[in-house]
């Protein structure tokens, strides 16, 4: 076990893959201390996840110290309140940084996992979307990500200037999809949103490479979760629907903990190329 102290911000952390990423980070990151900022709509759900993390840390033999702050009632689709919510996240991050400084447990890595997102209307083909639907979709899935990444990077670099903290590392992750790199019918908004997120993090990787910043677009595979169930209920393409139904019935959907564990181990090994798109099924 190293003496590393990681600060980890996860959006959409109150359930599903976001909660799974938090638990896998605790189990597999190799950090001796983790300060979590859990962001989501359901404050009670976030509190439950944080409590579970702290209980797991307390009862495990790994001797990991877990602290955390929940930032609930955050709807990243609501651009009218986006600035206020970004400020709330900043305040939570600053609180944990200050606590780490006072306890002389220096933060060695700051991680942002952009997990929150939505499917869009999978019953529609591209020609059926209105510009109003597209704007609402991209506000949530792209605009809020840009705002959060920008705020997180500027805030982190102000707190840990490279000249003073040359060993500090910053990592920005976007939960991506095969749809970001390959087109499938009825996924117009989802695919466009994931592709935009991938390219944004690719540009960030180039711009920030000399500042000890890495980015990663991680496609977790077809997860066995509520979002996949929504896909099977609403997808308008019969051929794809048959494939997903078959995977579900045969137990071939990806378990969330398997996928989130792979993500955390990728971050731990730190051998990936910054800005890369890596799929769960990649070797």
């Amino acid at each position: 076990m190293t003496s590393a102290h990681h600060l980890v911000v996860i959006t959409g952390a109150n359930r599903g893959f976001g909660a799974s990423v938090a638990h896998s980070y605790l189990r597999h990151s190799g950090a001796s201390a983790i300060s979590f900022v859990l962001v989501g709509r359901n404050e009670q759900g976030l509190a439950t996840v944080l409590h579970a993390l702290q209980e797991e840390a307390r009862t495990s033999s790994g001797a990991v110290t877990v602290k955390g702050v929940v930032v609930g009632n955050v709807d990243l689709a609501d651009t009218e309140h986006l600035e206020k919510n970004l400020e709330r996240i900043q305040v939570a991050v600053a609180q944990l940084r200050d606590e780490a400084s006072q306890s002389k447990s220096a933060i060695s890595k700051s991680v942002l996992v952009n997990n929150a997102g939505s499917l869009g209307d999978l019953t529609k083909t591209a020609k059926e979307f209105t510009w109003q639907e597209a704007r609402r979709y991209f506000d949530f899935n792209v605009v809020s990500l840009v705002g959060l990444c920008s705020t997180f990077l500027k805030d982190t670099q102000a707190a840990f200037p490279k000249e003073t903290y040359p060993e500090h590392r910053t990592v920005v992750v976007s939960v991506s999809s095969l749809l970001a790199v390959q087109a499938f019918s009825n996924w117009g908004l989802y695919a466009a949103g994931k592709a935009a997120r991938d390219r944004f993090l690719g540009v960030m990787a180039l711009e920030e490479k000399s500042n000890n910043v890495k980015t990663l677009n991680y496609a977790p595979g077809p997860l066995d979760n509520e979002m996949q169930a929504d896909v099977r209920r609403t997808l308008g393409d019969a051929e794809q629907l048959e494939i997903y139904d078959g995977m579900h019935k045969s137990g071939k959907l990806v378990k969330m903990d398997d996928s989130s564990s792979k993500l955390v181990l990728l971050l731990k090994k730190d051998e990936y190329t910054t800005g890369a798109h890596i799929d769960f099924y990649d070797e």
Side-chain angles (χ1 to χ4, degrees), residues 174-188:
S174 173
V175 175
S176 187
S177 169
L178 174 64
L179 276 296
V181 297
Q182 187 174 347
F184 290 89
S185 298
N186 291 80
W187 292 86

Side-chain angles (χ1 to χ4, degrees), residues 30 34 44 87 92 98 105 107 110 114 162 177 205 219 267 283:
I34 307 174
Q44 183 56 52
E87 289 173 2
D98 290 345
S105 175
I107 291 172
S110 299
N114 292 282
K162 186 174 66 172
S177 169
L267 299 181
E283 294 295 329

Side-chain angles (χ1 to χ4, degrees), residues 39-41 72-89 116-118 135-145 147-148:
V39 181
R41 295 180 181 179
N73 301 312
V74 173
D75 182 359
L76 292 173
D78 180 7
T79 54
E80 184 178 344
H81 297 99
L82 182 58
E83 191 67 29
K84 180 180 178 181
N85 283 324
L86 293 178
E87 289 173 2
R88 292 175 61 213
I89 296 168
S118 62
R135 185 169 69 178
R136 285 193 298 271
Y137 185 84
F138 291 120
D139 278 350
F140 179 19
N141 292 279
V142 180
V143 173
S144 69
L145 175 135
L148 185 52

Side-chain angles (χ1 to χ4, degrees), residues 58-81:
R58 185 181 65 81
T59 57
S60 70
S61 58
V64 183
T65 301
V66 170
K67 292 187 176 181
V69 176
V70 302
V71 186
N73 301 312
V74 173
D75 182 359
L76 292 173
D78 180 7
T79 54
E80 184 178 344
H81 297 99

Side-chain angles (χ1 to χ4, degrees), residues 6-14 17-19 21-22 25 34-40 46 53 67-71 74 76 85-86 88-97 107 109-116 148-149 151-153 155-156 160 170-175 263 267:
H6 297 180
L7 189 153
V8 183
V9 182
I10 305 173
T11 64
N14 51 277
F17 191 63
V21 169
Y25 208 95
I34 307 174
S35 295
F36 285 107
V37 177
L38 303 180
V39 181
L46 294 168
L53 291 167
K67 292 187 176 181
V69 176
V70 302
V71 186
V74 173
L76 292 173
N85 283 324
L86 293 178
R88 292 175 61 213
I89 296 168
Q90 277 183 286
V91 168
V93 169
Q95 175 186 328
L96 291 176
R97 277 201 303 254
I107 291 172
K109 180 185 282 188
S110 299
V111 181
L112 169 62
V113 181
N114 292 282
N115 168 66
L148 185 52
C149 289
T151 301
F152 179 77
L153 269 185
D155 197 37
T156 301
F160 301 104
T170 302
V171 179
V172 177
V173 177
S174 173
V175 175
L263 168 59
L267 299 181

